Amino acid sequence: MMTHATPQQFETTPPLTDEGYARTFAVMADVTSEYDVMSGIADRFISDNKFREKPVKMLTVGAGRGKFEVQLVKELGLNLEYVCAIEPNMEQVKHLEVSLKSLEVEYDINTSFFDPQFRIEEEKPQKFDFILFCHSLYGFDDPHGSVLHATNFLAPGGKVLIFIQGGGATAAIFSYLVEKSDPAIFSPKKCIGDHSLTADKIISQLRKNANHVSITTMAEQSSEDVDDFVRRKPDVPTRNYKVDFWLQAEYGKLSEETKRVIYEMIVDNCDVVEGRYKWKHWCFGMVLSV
């Protein structure tokens, strides 16, 4: 006989707040190998498009704290002339301002949401050589539509570079929590980031509905050290910001059964490297042109 979950069986932990998201993201940014992986992909992208030789106008959508934008210029040699950075999360904007000032180029910060109604002020550059989505599509109501809208801002010969996760454990544990939660409290629409979104989902939609868009992909595996979480060391705080970020909710507030399942999913997706548990996942770089 089929049984159905009752409201009492649903998880009732809410999504991370703006402040909670910014805090957990900051922890992730400091420890992840993702930036090294993205750097390798971006280095090839910059070389292929000769973005070291010619001045580049860049639009970065969901810029966060601007850490990767700084890396593009200071470590990879992007010849940046101007950048327009879009970031609606005010907790991130104060850090973004510092990052962009350090580049010593003309810049603007726009706190609007990037949706089909988004426009740039008339006196500002309207077309860009390089448009960047750096793991930001998770926060969009219509990620596919937003990508297509971005192509309207490409200069002739311009390219869109999208960093996004491949299918795997992050999407799996997030989707599991969504399935177990009261949808009135926790759902992808209520989270700042929908971590069930993957490269395959974006690519399939674009190939179905946007034949005029050319897509190429690069992918590399990255990892995070989760040894303290896996081994549950007594001298480590019970709150794990990395796991919270992947889930978009506080792991410690979940039921014991849900925590157990998620814990096992994380362990099953780890490699042991030099005696430490490393959470592995794929990072895709999608390059779009029209």
Side-chain angles (χ1 to χ4, degrees):
M1 177 183 293
M2 182 178 293
T3 60
H4 298 276
T6 66
Q8 289 75 26
Q9 293 174 294
F10 285 145
E11 294 291 338
T12 57
T13 300
L16 296 175
T17 63
D18 282 359
E19 187 275 334
Y21 181 90
R23 184 174 63 251
T24 56
F25 176 83
V27 172
M28 282 292 300
D30 285 341
V31 301
T32 183
S33 68
E34 192 86 0
Y35 284 98
D36 294 332
V37 169
M38 292 190 300
S39 179
I41 292 173
D43 184 58
R44 281 174 274 164
F45 171 82
I46 290 170
S47 295
D48 289 348
N49 291 284
K50 302 187 185 307
F51 283 165
R52 294 187 181 93
E53 291 79 19
K54 58 187 178 184
V56 172
K57 292 183 174 67
M58 179 170 74
L59 175 67
T60 174
V61 185
R65 297 184 172 210
K67 178 176 178 176
F68 192 63
E69 287 75 5
V70 170
Q71 191 171 351
L72 288 172
V73 175
K74 295 189 175 182
E75 297 182 19
L76 301 182
L78 176 69
N79 187 5
L80 188 63
E81 178 182 63
Y82 167 78
V83 57
C84 177
I86 301 171
E87 179 50 61
N89 187 329
M90 297 309 295
E91 291 289 334
Q92 304 280 43
V93 166
K94 56 188 177 183
H95 302 283
L96 177 61
E97 182 88 34
V98 174
S99 295
L100 297 185
K101 280 184 179 179
S102 76
L103 299 179
E104 299 182 342
V105 299
E106 183 183 355
Y107 72 88
D108 289 295
I109 295 176
N110 190 316
T111 58
S112 302
F113 287 96
F114 189 80
D115 55 28
Q117 287 71 47
F118 177 85
R119 298 292 182 271
I120 296 173
E121 296 176 25
E122 290 185 4
E123 66 273 15
K124 302 296 181 182
Q126 300 293 307
K127 298 290 183 178
F128 298 88
D129 309 293
F130 175 13
I131 299 176
L132 175 67
F133 291 83
C134 186
H135 286 294
S136 57
L137 281 177
Y138 315 111
F140 288 80
D141 288 337
D142 179 12
H144 168 258
S146 297
V147 169
L148 287 181
H149 185 52
T151 63
N152 295 324
F153 296 93
L154 282 175
K159 300 289 178 66
V160 180
L161 175 61
I162 300 169
F163 286 107
I164 189 168
Q165 67 178 347
T170 302
I173 63 171
F174 179 82
S175 297
Y176 175 77
L177 182 56
V178 169
E179 178 186 338
K180 296 293 291 184
S181 293
D182 181 343
I185 297 174
F186 186 94
S187 70
K189 293 291 186 183
K190 293 183 179 295
C191 293
I192 294 172
D194 175 3
H195 285 180
S196 67
L197 184 66
T198 63
D200 285 346
K201 291 181 180 180
I202 294 295
I203 291 169
S204 64
Q205 284 293 316
L206 287 173
R207 287 180 173 160
K208 179 180 179 181
N209 301 317
N211 291 330
H212 66 290
V213 176
S214 171
I215 308 168
T216 59
T217 62
M218 297 174 275
E220 293 186 19
Q221 195 174 76
S222 65
S223 64
E224 274 77 53
D225 189 310
V226 292
D227 199 72
D228 290 343
F229 174 78
V230 171
R231 297 184 190 277
R232 299 177 173 177
K233 295 180 179 178
D235 58 337
V236 175
T238 55
R239 180 96 189 259
N240 189 289
Y241 289 112
K242 289 176 281 188
V243 176
D244 290 356
F245 180 78
W246 298 326
L247 288 173
Q248 292 294 283
E250 290 190 35
Y251 172 84
K253 293 184 177 179
L254 302 175
S255 69
E256 291 303 315
E257 174 62 14
T258 297
K259 285 193 290 186
R260 180 190 64 78
V261 173
I262 290 171
Y263 174 85
E264 290 175 355
M265 293 171 76
I266 290 173
V267 173
D268 288 345
N269 195 66
C270 286
D271 287 332
V272 179
V273 181
E274 297 180 349
R276 297 187 67 83
Y277 283 88
K278 302 281 187 175
W279 164 270
K280 58 188 178 182
H281 56 94
W282 286 95
C283 173
F284 273 71
M286 298 169 48
V287 180
L288 276 56
S289 58
V290 293

Short mmCIF file of all heavy atoms in Angstrom, two decimals, residues 135-144 147 162-168 170-172 174-175 188 193-203 205 282:
data_model
loop_
_atom_site.label_atom_id
_atom_site.label_comp_id
_atom_site.label_asym_id
_atom_site.label_seq_id
_atom_site.Cartn_x
_atom_site.Cartn_y
_atom_site.Cartn_z
N HIS A 135 28.83 30.89 -11.31
CA HIS A 135 28.00 30.13 -10.37
C HIS A 135 26.85 30.98 -9.82
O HIS A 135 26.48 30.86 -8.64
CB HIS A 135 28.85 29.59 -9.22
CG HIS A 135 29.72 28.45 -9.61
ND1 HIS A 135 29.21 27.22 -9.98
CD2 HIS A 135 31.07 28.32 -9.70
CE1 HIS A 135 30.20 26.39 -10.28
NE2 HIS A 135 31.34 27.04 -10.13
N SER A 136 26.29 31.84 -10.67
CA SER A 136 25.22 32.72 -10.21
C SER A 136 23.84 32.33 -10.73
O SER A 136 22.83 32.81 -10.21
CB SER A 136 25.52 34.17 -10.64
OG SER A 136 25.68 34.27 -12.04
N LEU A 137 23.77 31.44 -11.72
CA LEU A 137 22.47 31.11 -12.30
C LEU A 137 21.53 30.41 -11.33
O LEU A 137 20.32 30.39 -11.53
CB LEU A 137 22.65 30.23 -13.54
CG LEU A 137 23.06 30.97 -14.82
CD1 LEU A 137 23.28 29.97 -15.94
CD2 LEU A 137 22.03 32.01 -15.22
N TYR A 138 22.08 29.83 -10.26
CA TYR A 138 21.23 29.16 -9.27
C TYR A 138 20.21 30.11 -8.65
O TYR A 138 19.18 29.68 -8.15
CB TYR A 138 22.09 28.56 -8.15
CG TYR A 138 23.31 27.82 -8.62
CD1 TYR A 138 24.59 28.32 -8.39
CD2 TYR A 138 23.19 26.61 -9.31
CE1 TYR A 138 25.72 27.64 -8.82
CE2 TYR A 138 24.32 25.93 -9.75
CZ TYR A 138 25.58 26.45 -9.50
OH TYR A 138 26.70 25.78 -9.94
N GLY A 139 20.52 31.40 -8.67
CA GLY A 139 19.64 32.37 -8.02
C GLY A 139 18.59 32.98 -8.92
O GLY A 139 17.88 33.89 -8.50
N PHE A 140 18.44 32.48 -10.15
CA PHE A 140 17.52 33.08 -11.10
C PHE A 140 16.20 32.30 -11.18
O PHE A 140 16.21 31.07 -11.20
CB PHE A 140 18.15 33.12 -12.49
CG PHE A 140 19.24 34.13 -12.63
CD1 PHE A 140 20.52 33.85 -12.18
CD2 PHE A 140 18.99 35.37 -13.19
CE1 PHE A 140 21.53 34.77 -12.30
CE2 PHE A 140 19.99 36.31 -13.32
CZ PHE A 140 21.27 36.02 -12.86
N ASP A 141 15.09 33.02 -11.26
CA ASP A 141 13.79 32.37 -11.45
C ASP A 141 13.74 31.66 -12.80
O ASP A 141 13.13 30.60 -12.93
CB ASP A 141 12.66 33.40 -11.36
CG ASP A 141 12.43 33.89 -9.94
OD1 ASP A 141 12.81 33.17 -9.00
OD2 ASP A 141 11.89 34.99 -9.78
N ASP A 142 14.36 32.27 -13.81
CA ASP A 142 14.36 31.70 -15.16
C ASP A 142 15.80 31.73 -15.68
O ASP A 142 16.17 32.61 -16.47
CB ASP A 142 13.43 32.51 -16.07
CG ASP A 142 13.40 31.97 -17.50
OD1 ASP A 142 13.91 30.85 -17.73
OD2 ASP A 142 12.86 32.68 -18.38
N PRO A 143 16.63 30.78 -15.26
CA PRO A 143 18.04 30.82 -15.67
C PRO A 143 18.23 30.73 -17.17
O PRO A 143 19.07 31.42 -17.74
CB PRO A 143 18.66 29.63 -14.94
CG PRO A 143 17.53 28.77 -14.51
CD PRO A 143 16.36 29.67 -14.31
N HIS A 144 17.44 29.90 -17.83
CA HIS A 144 17.55 29.76 -19.28
C HIS A 144 17.20 31.08 -19.97
O HIS A 144 17.95 31.55 -20.84
CB HIS A 144 16.61 28.65 -19.75
CG HIS A 144 16.42 28.59 -21.24
ND1 HIS A 144 15.29 29.08 -21.85
CD2 HIS A 144 17.22 28.12 -22.23
CE1 HIS A 144 15.40 28.90 -23.15
NE2 HIS A 144 16.55 28.31 -23.40
N VAL A 147 19.99 33.68 -19.48
CA VAL A 147 21.14 33.46 -20.36
C VAL A 147 20.84 34.01 -21.76
O VAL A 147 21.68 34.70 -22.36
CB VAL A 147 21.50 31.96 -20.42
CG1 VAL A 147 22.51 31.69 -21.53
CG2 VAL A 147 22.04 31.50 -19.08
N ILE A 162 29.86 30.85 -18.66
CA ILE A 162 29.02 30.45 -17.54
C ILE A 162 29.72 29.36 -16.76
O ILE A 162 30.06 28.30 -17.31
CB ILE A 162 27.66 29.92 -18.04
CG1 ILE A 162 26.92 30.98 -18.84
CG2 ILE A 162 26.81 29.43 -16.86
CD1 ILE A 162 25.69 30.45 -19.56
N PHE A 163 29.93 29.59 -15.48
CA PHE A 163 30.39 28.54 -14.58
C PHE A 163 29.19 27.99 -13.83
O PHE A 163 28.40 28.74 -13.25
CB PHE A 163 31.43 29.08 -13.59
CG PHE A 163 32.77 29.33 -14.21
CD1 PHE A 163 33.21 30.63 -14.44
CD2 PHE A 163 33.60 28.28 -14.57
CE1 PHE A 163 34.45 30.87 -15.01
CE2 PHE A 163 34.84 28.50 -15.14
CZ PHE A 163 35.27 29.80 -15.36
N ILE A 164 29.06 26.66 -13.85
CA ILE A 164 27.92 26.02 -13.21
C ILE A 164 28.31 24.58 -12.87
O ILE A 164 29.19 24.00 -13.52
CB ILE A 164 26.69 26.06 -14.14
CG1 ILE A 164 25.42 25.58 -13.42
CG2 ILE A 164 26.94 25.26 -15.42
CD1 ILE A 164 24.14 25.86 -14.19
N GLN A 165 27.67 24.03 -11.86
CA GLN A 165 27.99 22.66 -11.46
C GLN A 165 27.50 21.65 -12.48
O GLN A 165 26.50 21.88 -13.18
CB GLN A 165 27.37 22.35 -10.11
CG GLN A 165 25.84 22.29 -10.12
CD GLN A 165 25.24 21.93 -8.79
OE1 GLN A 165 25.92 21.49 -7.88
NE2 GLN A 165 23.94 22.11 -8.65
N GLY A 166 28.20 20.52 -12.55
CA GLY A 166 27.69 19.38 -13.30
C GLY A 166 26.76 18.58 -12.41
O GLY A 166 26.58 18.87 -11.21
N GLY A 167 26.13 17.58 -12.98
CA GLY A 167 25.28 16.72 -12.17
C GLY A 167 26.10 15.98 -11.13
O GLY A 167 27.26 15.65 -11.37
N GLY A 168 25.53 15.75 -9.97
CA GLY A 168 26.30 15.06 -8.94
C GLY A 168 25.73 15.29 -7.56
O GLY A 168 24.53 15.56 -7.39
N THR A 170 26.05 17.58 -5.04
CA THR A 170 25.45 18.82 -4.53
C THR A 170 23.99 18.91 -4.94
O THR A 170 23.11 19.20 -4.12
CB THR A 170 26.22 20.06 -5.01
OG1 THR A 170 27.58 19.96 -4.59
CG2 THR A 170 25.62 21.33 -4.44
N ALA A 171 23.74 18.69 -6.23
CA ALA A 171 22.36 18.69 -6.70
C ALA A 171 21.54 17.61 -6.01
O ALA A 171 20.35 17.81 -5.70
CB ALA A 171 22.32 18.49 -8.22
N ALA A 172 22.17 16.46 -5.72
CA ALA A 172 21.44 15.34 -5.12
C ALA A 172 21.01 15.64 -3.69
O ALA A 172 19.87 15.36 -3.31
CB ALA A 172 22.30 14.08 -5.16
N PHE A 174 20.68 18.58 -2.23
CA PHE A 174 19.70 19.67 -2.24
C PHE A 174 18.33 19.15 -2.66
O PHE A 174 17.31 19.46 -2.03
CB PHE A 174 20.17 20.79 -3.17
CG PHE A 174 19.21 21.95 -3.26
CD1 PHE A 174 19.20 22.94 -2.30
CD2 PHE A 174 18.30 22.03 -4.31
CE1 PHE A 174 18.31 24.00 -2.38
CE2 PHE A 174 17.41 23.08 -4.40
CZ PHE A 174 17.41 24.08 -3.43
N SER A 175 18.30 18.36 -3.73
CA SER A 175 17.02 17.82 -4.21
C SER A 175 16.38 16.91 -3.16
O SER A 175 15.15 16.91 -3.01
CB SER A 175 17.24 17.04 -5.51
OG SER A 175 17.71 17.90 -6.53
N PRO A 188 12.99 25.29 -3.92
CA PRO A 188 13.96 26.03 -4.73
C PRO A 188 13.59 27.50 -4.90
O PRO A 188 14.47 28.37 -4.90
CB PRO A 188 13.94 25.29 -6.07
CG PRO A 188 13.59 23.88 -5.69
CD PRO A 188 12.60 24.02 -4.56
N GLY A 193 19.61 30.27 -3.74
CA GLY A 193 20.17 29.51 -4.84
C GLY A 193 19.51 28.15 -4.98
O GLY A 193 19.34 27.44 -4.00
N ASP A 194 19.13 27.80 -6.20
CA ASP A 194 18.55 26.49 -6.49
C ASP A 194 19.70 25.57 -6.88
O ASP A 194 20.13 25.53 -8.04
CB ASP A 194 17.54 26.61 -7.63
CG ASP A 194 16.98 25.25 -8.05
OD1 ASP A 194 17.35 24.23 -7.43
OD2 ASP A 194 16.20 25.22 -9.02
N HIS A 195 20.19 24.80 -5.92
CA HIS A 195 21.35 23.96 -6.18
C HIS A 195 21.01 22.63 -6.86
O HIS A 195 21.87 21.76 -6.96
CB HIS A 195 22.11 23.73 -4.87
CG HIS A 195 22.89 24.93 -4.45
ND1 HIS A 195 23.66 24.97 -3.31
CD2 HIS A 195 23.03 26.15 -5.03
CE1 HIS A 195 24.23 26.17 -3.20
NE2 HIS A 195 23.86 26.89 -4.22
N SER A 196 19.79 22.52 -7.37
CA SER A 196 19.48 21.38 -8.22
C SER A 196 19.79 21.69 -9.69
O SER A 196 19.76 20.80 -10.54
CB SER A 196 18.01 20.97 -8.08
OG SER A 196 17.16 21.98 -8.61
N LEU A 197 20.10 22.95 -9.99
CA LEU A 197 20.39 23.36 -11.36
C LEU A 197 21.77 22.87 -11.77
O LEU A 197 22.75 23.03 -11.04
CB LEU A 197 20.32 24.88 -11.48
CG LEU A 197 20.50 25.47 -12.88
CD1 LEU A 197 19.33 25.08 -13.76
CD2 LEU A 197 20.64 26.99 -12.81
N THR A 198 21.85 22.28 -12.96
CA THR A 198 23.12 21.73 -13.46
C THR A 198 23.37 22.20 -14.90
O THR A 198 22.47 22.70 -15.58
CB THR A 198 23.11 20.20 -13.44
OG1 THR A 198 22.07 19.73 -14.32
CG2 THR A 198 22.88 19.67 -12.03
N ALA A 199 24.60 21.97 -15.35
CA ALA A 199 24.96 22.34 -16.72
C ALA A 199 24.07 21.62 -17.73
O ALA A 199 23.64 22.22 -18.72
CB ALA A 199 26.43 22.00 -16.97
N ASP A 200 23.80 20.35 -17.51
CA ASP A 200 22.99 19.58 -18.46
C ASP A 200 21.61 20.20 -18.65
O ASP A 200 21.08 20.22 -19.77
CB ASP A 200 22.85 18.14 -17.99
CG ASP A 200 24.11 17.33 -18.21
OD1 ASP A 200 25.00 17.80 -18.95
OD2 ASP A 200 24.22 16.22 -17.64
N LYS A 201 21.02 20.70 -17.57
CA LYS A 201 19.69 21.30 -17.67
C LYS A 201 19.72 22.57 -18.53
O LYS A 201 18.82 22.79 -19.36
CB LYS A 201 19.14 21.61 -16.28
CG LYS A 201 18.80 20.38 -15.46
CD LYS A 201 18.24 20.76 -14.10
CE LYS A 201 17.88 19.53 -13.28
NZ LYS A 201 17.33 19.88 -11.95
N ILE A 202 20.74 23.40 -18.34
CA ILE A 202 20.85 24.62 -19.14
C ILE A 202 21.13 24.29 -20.60
O ILE A 202 20.50 24.84 -21.52
CB ILE A 202 21.97 25.53 -18.58
CG1 ILE A 202 21.61 26.03 -17.18
CG2 ILE A 202 22.23 26.70 -19.52
CD1 ILE A 202 20.39 26.94 -17.14
N ILE A 203 22.05 23.37 -20.83
CA ILE A 203 22.42 23.02 -22.20
C ILE A 203 21.22 22.44 -22.96
O ILE A 203 20.97 22.78 -24.12
CB ILE A 203 23.59 22.03 -22.20
CG1 ILE A 203 24.87 22.73 -21.72
CG2 ILE A 203 23.81 21.44 -23.59
CD1 ILE A 203 26.01 21.77 -21.42
N GLN A 205 18.04 22.92 -22.48
CA GLN A 205 17.05 23.98 -22.78
C GLN A 205 17.53 24.86 -23.93
O GLN A 205 16.75 25.23 -24.82
CB GLN A 205 16.80 24.81 -21.54
CG GLN A 205 15.91 24.15 -20.50
CD GLN A 205 14.49 23.98 -20.98
OE1 GLN A 205 13.91 24.89 -21.57
NE2 GLN A 205 13.93 22.80 -20.77
N TRP A 282 31.86 18.27 -10.12
CA TRP A 282 32.32 18.77 -11.42
C TRP A 282 31.94 20.22 -11.60
O TRP A 282 30.83 20.65 -11.29
CB TRP A 282 31.72 17.94 -12.54
CG TRP A 282 32.36 16.59 -12.67
CD1 TRP A 282 31.94 15.42 -12.12
CD2 TRP A 282 33.55 16.30 -13.38
NE1 TRP A 282 32.80 14.40 -12.42
CE2 TRP A 282 33.80 14.90 -13.20
CE3 TRP A 282 34.45 17.05 -14.13
CZ2 TRP A 282 34.90 14.27 -13.77
CZ3 TRP A 282 35.55 16.42 -14.70
CH2 TRP A 282 35.76 15.05 -14.51
#
